[in-house]
Structures are given as C-alpha cells and as structure tokens.
Amino acid sequence: MDSRLRGVLCASILLALAPHAFPAAAQPTPVEGRSQAFAIPAQPLSSALILYGRQSGLQVAAPSELLRGRQSTDLQGSYPPAVALDTLLANSGCAGGADPPAW
C-alpha cells in the first residue's frame, strides 16, 4: 500500500459513543467530558486501543492492517478521553477523531 494512502487511512481511527450511553443535553459526553483515569502501558497499538475503549467507555474502530507494527505510548493518569487518545497515539503515525453516535 502506498505510504501516503497508509497515512491517510491511519488517520481514520474513529470513536463512537457506546450504544448504551444516552447523555442528557446538560451532561457532557465522554469525548468532551471530564477527566477519567487511564492506565495503559506502552504496547502494540491494537491492544492499547482495546484497553482505551474499555477504560473510556467508547467504541474504537480502526483497520487492523494499519495498526500492525505500530506501538502506543504509555498512558497513565487522568485525562479527558480525547486528550487520552491523542496521548496514546503520539508518535504512532496515527490520529484519532470522534464521530457522533448513529442511533
């Protein structure tokens, strides 16, 4: 695969709110919400994103072939989910973004 295309596709890591989360209008969603605790050691990016999803309560989707061979950074502490994802992806060549829920 062309390296430019790989970079574009890797930037397409998407987040969606968990289907069971129906926040009230006055409450922040997890993506824009308050800090929460994360404890994800540096590891293969695919494994780190699974842990991120479990700890944030968000669903994460990314093409596995684009994550292969990539490493996450260490993520320890309290962060808003969007900041935590950016930190986790730092230096991996990937970027994340949030999609609104599709219900």
Side-chain angles (χ1 to χ4, degrees):
M1 179 182 292
D2 180 298
S3 63
R4 288 176 295 164
L5 179 58
R6 179 178 295 238
V8 169
L9 291 175
C10 199
S12 70
I13 294 176
L14 303 175
L15 300 178
L17 294 177
H20 62 277
F22 294 95
Q27 295 177 330
T29 63
V31 172
E32 58 192 352
R34 298 183 189 140
S35 293
Q36 51 192 106
F38 290 92
I40 304 173
Q43 60 190 291
L45 191 53
S46 58
S47 299
L49 289 173
I50 291 169
L51 286 175
Y52 171 83
R54 288 180 186 154
Q55 292 180 23
S56 69
L58 298 172
Q59 293 178 348
V60 180
S64 61
E65 64 273 4
L66 295 177
L67 300 178
R68 195 170 296 121
R70 296 180 188 267
Q71 190 78 5
S72 76
T73 59
D74 185 58
L75 178 65
Q76 305 292 326
S78 269
Y79 304 92
V83 173
L85 181 62
D86 288 344
T87 303
L88 196 64
L89 297 174
N91 301 317
S92 71
C94 295
D99 278 356
W103 23 73

